[in-house]
């Protein structure tokens, strides 16, 4: 499923020769994991409604039109993102979401159910043994696999993908400078502009297996 223009998500690769979406990630104002403060592993840990982040400028949202038939996704979910950053390190969190229809669904109308979510720390994009800083503004490919899934997106629902660079407190804050994070100083924590590319030469997509 390719990231497309106008925050679309679909099976066709992008047509633009040069295109990207961007946001500013601020480690002092990270995207929360749940819509409440908690020190516990809440019951909605893996299916929480994601509508509470829809208006945040540091979360990119892409979605399909309403599905005309059921789509069952099985196995691993594998993001492949072409990104750049003004920082020298950044996290990229990908979330796969099932969007319920607004009408006719009772209390679940419009619910944005988290199906899978997984972060990736950019410094490890080429090797976990030998982390590397980003060169600010340089495009890098980040590929990884999220945990397996077996989920049916029902007809009339939408498939949504969200991308962000923090997920607190389930993921520790990345200072967005290339540092030994447990020992990072307050001055190491800086804002960074993150770009997600979606062009013919630098497409970004989420690879899934769909039952026939």
């Amino acid at each position: 499923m390719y990231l497309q223009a106008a925050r679309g998500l679909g099976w066709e690769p992008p047509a633009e020769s040069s295109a990207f979406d961007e946001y500013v990630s601020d480690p002092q104002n990270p995207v929360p994991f749940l819509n409440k403060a908690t020190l516990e592993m809440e019951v909605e840990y893996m299916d929480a409604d994601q509508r509470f982040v829809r208006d945040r400028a540091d979360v990119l949202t892409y979605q399909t039109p309403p599905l005309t038939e059921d789509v069952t996704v099985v196995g691993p979910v594998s993001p492949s993102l072409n990104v750049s950053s003004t920082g020298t390190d950044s996290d990229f969190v990908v979330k796969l979401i099932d969007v319920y229809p607004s009408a006719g669904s009772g209390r679940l109308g419009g619910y944005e159910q988290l199906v899978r979510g997984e972060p990736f720390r950019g410094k490890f994009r080429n090797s976990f043994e030998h982390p590397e800083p980003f060169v600010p503004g340089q495009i890098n490919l980040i590929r990884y696999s999220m945990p397996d899934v077996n989920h049916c997106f029902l007809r009339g629902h939408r498939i949504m993908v969200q991308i962000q660079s923090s997920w607190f407190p389930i993921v520790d804050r990345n200072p967005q400078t290339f540092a030994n994070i447990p020992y990072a100083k307050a001055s190491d924590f800086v804002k960074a502009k993150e770009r997600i590319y979606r062009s013919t030469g630098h497409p970004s997509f989420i690879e899934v297996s769909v039952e026939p």
Side-chain angles (χ1 to χ4, degrees), residues 31-32 50-57 59 61 95 162 164:
V31 181
Q50 299 299 300
R51 283 179 288 185
F52 73 98
V53 299
R54 65 167 48 164
D55 294 326
R56 287 188 62 114
V59 178
T61 298
K95 297 185 292 188
Q162 287 183 339
Q164 57 202 53

Side-chain angles (χ1 to χ4, degrees), residues 23-32 56 58 85-87 89-91 121 164-169 171-177 181 184-194:
Y23 57 92
V24 174
S25 174
D26 182 358
Q28 303 300 338
N29 182 27
V31 181
R56 287 188 62 114
D58 54 356
S85 177
T86 58
D89 188 21
S90 285
D91 292 349
R121 186 142 286 170
Q164 57 202 53
S165 287
S166 54
W167 213 17
F168 190 78
V171 179
D172 62 333
R173 296 178 304 143
N174 190 322
Q176 300 178 155
T177 57
I181 293 177
K185 303 182 298 294
S187 58
D188 293 327
F189 289 79
V190 299
K191 295 180 181 179
K193 181 180 291 185
E194 319 292 6

